[in-house]
Amino acid sequence: MKKFDKDRLILGLAGPVLALVVALALTTVVLLASGRNPFEPYRIMFDSASYVDVQVLIINQAGTYYLAALAVAVGFRMNLFNIGVDGQYRLAAMMAALVGASVSLPGPLHIALIVIVAMLVGAFWAGIAGFLKTTRGVSEVVSTIMLNSIATALVAWLILPKNFGEQPAGSNNLTTGEIAESGWFPGLPMGDGGDIYGFTFVAAGCGLLYWFVLNRTRFGFDLRATGASESAAQASGVDAKKMILTSMLISGAVAGLAGLPTLLGDTHTYSLDFPTGIGFTGITIALLGRNNPLGIAFSALLIAFLDKSSASLDQFGYEKEIATIMQGLIVISVVVSYELVRRYGVRRQQQKVGEELAAGHAIKTEKEAAL
């Protein structure tokens, strides 16, 4: 048993490590082909990340990425591809900001209301895709892509001044209005480096809850069983359709939380320049982290590091898009490396079974010879 666990650990680490090595190698080739120093950008980024303010930015960004990736991972464990996390996240942040700016409550209640609204909106938007899949057999890939576009249009309509938005004097930006200070989530001061968002620690708690529910509860077992084989789960008494809908609702609720680190810790309003594309980055991070909460945490920190440390590349004559290239190569490398590792794992398992059968046959032969 110990050897099996060791093999499983090695195979689990082999995929992401191989993906990162390949991505770095390909990025180096791209730099060489463009006539650039292939190692200098890495040094610049690591030097940049040595400053406290950049470290704070990386941690804060990682918290947002972590929640988005957890939302994607919930779907992945059910064999569902929730591409709509970005739309769910933006619509939830928008509605939470509107509600938060329109009420005045004692601090804990104000924050709780904003969190609940964000989760409900995210769950509702993802639930549409879940409902369509369970009742009409519509692929969640198709429906969530379309819902992303609808969410974009809906947010753009809601934020218009003639509807629910505001336009600050002398600005072309549109906002939902600022949330009162009672609705701000306190952070962890880091001196001149700024504050680590308090909601980043909530994100870490969500990761622990994700692990516990998935690995230590009946619901988590049913979810994993349904994701592995829907027909087998149904044969064992699990309502597969109910699990699909529930998983989409949970995935959307977690996606709704992804905008709160920024909303409650920094901007305190939703505006046209609110971060976008978080959901798609979450897909990369969930894949790289193998849907494991600890793996997702390291992956979120890596992608956040590439995002924030690359800002200094421009100052040294390198394009900051180098980090974007690396992220794209990581995605491609993840797909290829995981397939290679999977095939190796299958061959290795077949080899072990063959060895065990051969060993059993040899023991049987020895006993027969002794008789």
Side-chain angles (χ1 to χ4, degrees), residues 363-371:
I363 293 174
K364 182 180 178 180
T365 302
E366 290 177 1
K367 287 182 178 179
E368 291 175 350
L371 295 173

Side-chain angles (χ1 to χ4, degrees), residues 28-357:
T28 301
V29 171
V30 170
L31 289 169
L32 284 171
S34 62
R36 302 296 187 88
N37 186 320
F39 305 110
E40 185 69 9
Y42 305 136
R43 184 194 65 78
I44 294 171
M45 287 193 289
F46 277 107
D47 286 347
S48 176
S50 65
Y51 294 97
V52 176
D53 57 339
V54 178
Q55 293 170 2
V56 169
L57 290 174
I58 291 172
I59 293 173
N60 287 337
Q61 188 68 67
T64 298
Y65 285 163
Y66 189 67
L67 287 168
L70 284 181
V72 175
V74 171
F76 279 163
R77 296 309 295 262
M78 261 294 297
N79 204 23
L80 296 171
F81 203 174
N82 183 9
I83 302 181
V85 168
D86 199 65
Q88 296 150 22
Y89 140 82
R90 287 186 287 116
L91 187 60
M94 164 78 175
M95 295 304 299
L98 277 175
V99 173
S102 63
V103 301
S104 181
L105 295 170
L109 292 178
H110 200 168
I111 295 172
L113 176 63
I114 293 172
V115 171
I116 291 171
V117 169
M119 293 182 69
L120 288 177
V121 172
F124 170 75
W125 207 246
I128 296 174
F131 176 78
L132 291 174
K133 183 174 181 65
T134 54
T135 60
R136 293 291 182 266
V138 178
S139 169
E140 75 281 359
V141 175
V142 176
S143 59
T144 51
I145 289 176
M146 297 177 69
L147 284 167
N148 274 342
S149 299
I150 297 172
T152 300
L154 185 57
V155 168
W157 181 80
L158 288 171
I159 205 171
L160 290 174
K162 65 179 181 180
N163 295 318
F164 301 98
E166 299 178 5
Q167 184 171 6
S171 172
N172 291 325
N173 201 1
L174 299 177
T175 76
T176 56
E178 186 169 298
I179 298 172
E181 193 168 348
S182 58
W184 299 5
F185 202 103
L188 177 65
M190 298 297 291
D192 295 336
D195 294 352
I196 295 177
Y197 298 154
F199 216 84
T200 298
F201 300 100
V202 175
C206 289
L208 292 174
L209 183 62
Y210 166 84
W211 175 86
F212 178 80
V213 171
L214 206 63
N215 297 283
R216 293 293 184 269
T217 66
R218 172 61 186 271
F219 172 79
F221 175 80
D222 289 346
L223 186 148
R224 288 183 286 115
T226 308
S229 174
E230 186 175 328
S231 58
Q234 286 180 325
S236 64
V238 178
D239 188 339
K241 290 187 176 181
K242 180 181 178 181
M243 289 302 301
I244 290 172
L245 180 58
T246 303
S247 298
M248 287 300 293
L249 290 171
I250 295 173
S251 178
V254 178
L257 295 176
L260 297 189
T262 302
L263 180 64
L264 300 183
D266 182 22
T267 63
H268 310 301
T269 187
Y270 186 97
S271 62
L272 294 179
D273 54 5
F274 203 80
T276 59
I278 301 298
F280 300 108
T281 305
I283 295 173
T284 300
I285 293 170
L287 286 171
L288 185 59
R290 301 296 296 270
N291 302 320
N292 179 285
L294 187 59
I296 291 173
F298 284 117
S299 302
L301 284 169
L302 171 64
I303 300 301
F305 163 77
L306 293 175
D307 279 349
K308 299 305 179 182
S309 64
S310 62
S312 61
L313 289 175
D314 284 342
Q315 303 173 16
F316 296 89
Y318 291 91
E319 295 78 7
K320 62 182 180 180
E321 284 74 21
I322 291 173
T324 305
I325 293 173
M326 289 183 66
Q327 291 182 24
L329 291 173
I330 286 173
V331 176
I332 297 173
S333 302
V334 161
V335 175
V336 175
S337 64
Y338 282 6
E339 179 61 20
L340 291 175
V341 170
R342 185 192 68 80
R343 292 183 180 182
Y344 172 79
V346 171
R347 290 198 301 270
R348 175 60 179 157
Q349 190 65 27
Q350 292 172 342
Q351 180 184 357
K352 288 174 62 178
V353 171
E355 291 173 353
E356 290 173 1
L357 290 174

